[in-house]
Amino acid sequence: LACRQHRQRSRRDVSDGRLLHAMAPAEALTVEAVFEQLRDFKNLTRERALEALREALAAGRFSRESVETLVLACLSDESWEARQSGLAAAAEAVKTWDSPGFREELLRAVPRLLVDPEYRVRKAIALVLRECCVRDGIQVFDGLAETVLGDIRDKFRRQTGGEDRPAADATAPPTFLPD
């Protein structure tokens, strides 16, 4: 019964025109197909596509130019899934080719993504920043410090004592401003 259900699901996926990683070996996937799967709304599909990308990069099957172009397209996409996966793919590309020009382009996109409305995109930035910091050191933080600290200044505030409320503990963490 389980086997029959799996076949039915597989047929349904094939009839939908989806090329699933589980059904095709990673060698059969083109760079465009991998990036299409990286944009998918299903987390498992995105994870499998990222693993297929890692395997293809390790085997040298994809060109640096095509991967970098598709990564930058993902970072400008409307869907948060594409931006999140694009950042993960960018980290893999930096690990593989260590292209200074590509790192500069990524670091130009990071300030916009640091304030992305989707927390998963903001979280994925850490992957790229780590790889850039390994290669470029503290200058990565120096270039982003004003964006990060400015965002904190805009969104957080400490409560101070006033006539209508008691003084707040100066060691207390900041609170969010009301929406």
Side-chain angles (χ1 to χ4, degrees), residues 77-108:
D77 201 282
E78 281 186 23
S79 75
W80 68 263
E81 295 93 346
R83 293 190 307 272
Q84 177 196 33
S85 296
L87 288 164
E92 295 300 324
V94 170
K95 284 181 200 176
T96 302
W97 292 297
D98 192 20
S99 168
F102 181 58
R103 286 197 318 269
E104 287 175 20
E105 288 186 63
L106 290 174
L107 290 174
R108 279 195 294 273

Side-chain angles (χ1 to χ4, degrees), residues 15-33:
S15 67
D16 287 344
R18 293 182 182 252
L19 179 61
L20 297 178
H21 178 74
M23 295 174 58
E27 298 85 29
L29 295 174
T30 64
V31 67
E32 291 82 8

Side-chain angles (χ1 to χ4, degrees), residues 160-173:
T160 57
E163 294 178 19
D164 58 336
R165 62 177 180 232
D169 180 9
T171 61

